[in-house]
Amino acid sequence: MKEGFNLSGWALRHRTLVWYAMLVTLLMGAFSYVQLGREEDPAFAIKTMVIQARWPGATLDETLQQVTDRLEKKLEEIDALDYVRSYTLAGEATLFVFLKSETPARAIPDAWYAVRKKMQDIRGELPSGVQGPAFNDEFGDVFGNIYALTGEGFSPRQLRDYAEQLRLGLQGVPRLGKVEVLGSQPEVIYLDFSIRRLAALGIDLRQVIQSLQAQNAVTPAGHIDGEQERIALQASGAFASEADLQAVSLRFGERLLRLSDLARIERGYAQPPASLFRYNGEAAIGLAVAMQAGGNIQDFGAALQQRIDELTANLPLGLDVHQVSSQAEVVDKAIGTFTKALFEAVLIVLVVSFISLGMRAGLVVACSIPLVLAMVFLFMSYSGITLQRISLGALIIALGLLVDDAMITVEMMIKRIEAGDSLTKAATHAYTSTAFPMLTGTLVTVAGFVPIGLNASSAGEYVFTMFAVIAVALLLSWLVAVVFAPLLGVYLLRRPAQAEVHGSSRWERLFSAWLALALGHRNWTVGLTLLAFAISLVGTGLLQRQFFPDSDRPEILVDFHLPQHGSINATRETMDRFEQALADDPDVLRWSSYVGKGAVRFYLPLDQQLSNPFYGQVLIVSQGGEARDRLLARLRARLREEFVGIGANVQPLNMGPPVGWPIQYRISGPDIQQVRRQAMSLAALIDGNPNIGQVVYDWNEPGKVLRIDIEQDKARQFGLSSQDTAQILNSVVSGSSITQIRDGIHLVDVVARAQADERQSPELLGSLQIPSGRTGESIPLLAFASIRYEQEQPLVWRRDRLPTITLKANIVGNLQPDALVEQLRSAVDDFTAQLPARYQVKVGGAVEASARSQEPILRVVPWMLFLMVTLLMIQLQSVKQVLLVLSVAPLGLIGVVGALLVTNSPLGFVAILGVLALIGIIVRNSVILVSQIESFRQQGLALQAAVVSATEHRCRPILLTAAASSLAMIPIAREAFWGPMAYAMIGGIAVATVLTLFFLPALYLLCHADQGEEVEAVNEMP
């Protein structure tokens, strides 16, 4: 900025251009607002990839040592790797790759490419027969709109076909993303053989299978190239239905037998099912629809619902389409709530402006609000920031701050007009006297939000738009204050009303009296302030800590964890029993259930679960509000009393990055059995706390294994091998897919298996006849093998290549996870101390996630302080003055602690960000006051007079900006997400404002008493 250049003066000399700029700004801002995308939560990257590999027939130990461990070791070479979790089943390895929390979103694709490359490199080192690895890194897709198709009398195949019909009909909906079908039951044609009858007939099941595969094979028959045309040859024989299978005749030596004489041929559905989807207790097929990133979910939801209505009009009677989840409705309600809060905040700021400044001056400030908001909307549109929970909250927070500069400008203009200056001179003088201190204060305030902007964790990514919106709004507010506000003031301001002058003088006299008292007893003023600060430090120990609060949405999630050897049928029966009471509950609107897997990601922060037969999840939509809280309490009590032995967790939806169960402890070590023993001891210790609910293991219970020990020498004598035996056993017990029928767009597996009475009885395995490939005779299994029962782990979880059991628990009562972990800390530390070497206990869940998210903040705080000090040094150019300005900043903790304790609000992640941002807000007022004191001293006033005059001079602007900043946050104080932050900032601003006006002047006098200037105590009321 060139010396002597006055930006306000330039604006007044180019009024037409500035008026045009204002009009264009408003029009472009309005257009940008309409075009902005609408979402529930800001997008953040899910930094997790799932890798799966299969090794059919391998034992758990073989899979763990030969597959899981090899893959884990190779993944350790990834630079961005944070840790690897894996769970291993017999013949199946699943690895969860977690990137470091500070990995930027733009670097994630490169990291996944590196993972795939490493896995490709190690593929040749895996045992023969290993299938994969396969990869899944698409965890961020949100299926915000879910529909359920139900129909009495309709088969699962019919429901699936109609779901596919709807899926096809959705093509063409603007910004349509992925569409997935949920709960689809694949059709299967079962060939149920009697193994004993085949043995009696001397028929080898493998011969049957080979004959069917040969007939159904798709093999090119060639083509004839003539002189004029080319004719393709096609050989028939492929199976089109189960009727074709029933008509098949097979030749065995001289015998010709129909397949229907050897097996019962039945078309049905895969048993057991991999997963099930239900709606209000009815079997259903789900249709999950996602929107493309950056779209307007309200517009998309309306277009999608219109298309669904059109398509359902053509469905047959009795087939119903139900809406399970509608993110558009949630966003519409949330946007409406926040828009209302935004208007309330605007109204509050206007009331403060009009009451304190008068109608005309208040109108100047009021006009600056839409100008700044219009430019912010333009920035949001350009940078791709949507209207969602964080950006809307940031707008409300910024609203109370963006009027500060305009208020200071108008206040200075009024004072100069009262002093006799013309409107133009008053406007240019306001720029000369306040523009640079205002800019410094604005930049210092922005610096207070730097820990949000530079926080590279997932939680920081979640709230990044808060920094972007507030920072841009503050910078633009300074521009509006020095360009647009002076021009508006020249046209709108007149001489102030007498009533306003007298009112101000009366309040100024009262303030002068209190200031005189504080300065007259400045030692007491400073001492009492420091005492209050010390008390607040002690009071922080009474505050509960929190990561992110629970959502206020009406949904409730209920997780069911059966023992790891439990079947999907047992899971379904358990959930059936639970759901029976939901139908008659007046607080329940609807519910959907997922058996064998977790709910599809219907909102971004969902802690999504993968498929497991022993797991199920129920998503209940309550009537909302108090009904949700009543239902939560009832469900928790019912699960405790009626579902003993079932790991169940009832919780509302969470906000922020997913963390799962609130209380989690991990115990790990090299030996699985030792880890199990120590985990049970730790669980007993944790369960002793009355605030802990049921403790659940993510794995622990051993399962039965029927081990068949083959005597290899005897097997060879009979012309048999372990492979022959395993294949026959697999066909008998589980059934094996031998070929497929091509049915339209679907493939129907043909599965050969033993009939029910033979495959479901372990006792009959001993009499199983194994056909010999060499002699053609059937050999009893017990002739060359022995059968015995054993116990082994059905699955093993590992973390960083060590077996790890995670203990999970919910909370009974209103304690936060951090407080409960603190209660258990001493006992857990004592338990950890007695563990053998290489065994350890770590805290997980919300407490760990909160600590991990705060580490990047702490790393950025020094940069924040450096920026603040640098800006203050540029403005004040005095170490002593900078220290004086900064002295008030930590004292805001007095108000923060008091407000949080009074409102019983926890100090969560978002509240911590607010406290850090509070530093910049407090310093802003302090630097303006100290700059004013220095200005008066340079004009020749004595120290005492300069302090008093400057404080009285800056009193009203400081009070006005503090009132606007704090009161504007009242509308969001009732929101679950923003409430603690709002209370913390309101309390901090209120107390810091008082201290700026009384403590800072007193401290200034004490610090400058050694300069030899006469400092007279102010003992009389003026």
Side-chain angles (χ1 to χ4, degrees), residues 35-71:
Q35 297 298 316
L36 285 176
R38 267 78 166 168
E39 295 178 299
E40 181 181 5
D41 287 286
F44 62 90
I46 305 295
K47 302 170 184 177
T48 307
M49 172 186 273
V50 175
I51 302 175
Q52 289 184 308
R54 299 180 184 276
W55 190 13
T59 65
L60 176 72
D61 288 339
E62 289 171 341
T63 308
L64 195 63
Q65 296 168 7
Q66 299 298 326
V67 180
T68 305
D69 193 65
R70 291 175 189 266
L71 297 179

Side-chain angles (χ1 to χ4, degrees), residues 814-836:
N814 298 320
L815 279 180
Q816 294 293 331
D818 189 89
L820 194 45
V821 168
E822 189 61 34
Q823 288 183 5
L824 294 166
R825 186 180 304 280
S826 177
V828 172
D829 287 346
D830 293 342
F831 174 85
T832 305
Q834 56 83 34
L835 288 175

Side-chain angles (χ1 to χ4, degrees), residues 566-810:
S567 68
I568 192 170
N569 291 324
T571 305
R572 176 171 52 189
E573 291 172 1
T574 301
M575 296 175 68
D576 283 341
R577 186 158 55 95
F578 171 78
E579 293 178 43
Q580 288 174 358
L582 298 180
D584 300 324
D585 196 315
D587 292 332
V588 175
L589 183 62
R590 61 179 182 269
W591 77 92
S592 55
S593 51
Y594 301 78
V595 185
K597 64 179 297 184
V600 68
R601 190 183 295 279
F602 63 95
Y603 86 121
L604 187 59
L606 178 69
D607 182 27
Q608 194 171 14
Q609 305 294 316
L610 297 181
S611 299
N612 270 310
F614 53 82
Y615 176 78
Q617 192 170 59
V618 180
L619 173 62
I620 303 171
V621 181
S622 72
Q623 300 289 355
E626 295 180 357
R628 188 196 71 166
D629 297 336
R630 290 194 303 268
L631 186 59
L632 275 169
R634 275 202 308 276
L635 293 178
R636 286 168 176 163
R638 182 167 175 242
L639 288 169
R640 281 196 304 269
E641 296 167 3
E642 301 179 20
F643 292 82
V644 179
I646 303 296
N649 183 37
V650 182
Q651 61 179 343
L653 301 186
N654 301 128
M655 296 183 188
V659 294
W661 291 57
I663 301 297
Q664 296 182 31
Y665 285 92
R666 295 189 304 272
I667 181 165
S668 59
D671 181 68
I672 290 178
Q673 298 307 319
Q674 179 74 332
V675 170
R676 289 185 61 231
R677 287 192 294 271
Q678 297 297 343
M680 288 187 283
S681 299
L682 180 60
L685 185 153
I686 296 172
D687 196 42
N689 189 298
N691 298 305
I692 288 286
Q694 182 184 12
V695 179
V696 176
Y697 303 82
D698 65 341
W699 66 280
N700 186 29
E701 306 93 342
K704 290 181 180 178
V705 175
L706 197 60
R707 192 168 301 281
I708 300 170
D709 294 322
I710 299 174
E711 297 183 40
Q712 298 298 328
D713 291 339
K714 288 186 178 180
R716 290 189 182 94
Q717 290 177 5
F718 294 122
L720 295 171
S721 66
S722 296
Q723 182 182 26
D724 298 330
T725 306
Q727 287 175 348
I728 292 295
L729 288 172
N730 186 48
S731 298
V732 169
V733 178
S734 302
S736 58
S737 177
I738 60 174
T739 188
Q740 292 177 320
I741 290 178
R742 293 166 286 283
D743 184 3
I745 64 171
H746 303 295
L747 290 173
V748 180
D749 285 335
V750 178
V751 175
R753 64 182 182 179
Q755 60 189 27
D757 60 341
E758 293 180 348
R759 71 174 182 269
Q760 294 175 354
S761 174
E763 290 77 14
L764 293 180
L765 285 179
S767 59
L768 180 66
Q769 302 291 312
I770 307 295
S772 171
R774 186 183 67 184
T775 65
E777 299 178 352
S778 294
I779 311 300
L781 179 63
L782 290 180
F784 60 91
S786 60
I787 301 175
R788 57 189 171 88
Y789 278 102
E790 287 186 354
Q791 280 194 330
E792 73 173 20
Q793 294 299 137
L795 64 87
V796 172
W797 276 97
R798 306 209 314 179
R799 182 181 172 114
D800 293 331
R801 300 177 59 202
L802 287 175
T804 303
I805 293 179
T806 302
L807 304 177
K808 307 174 183 179
N810 46 33

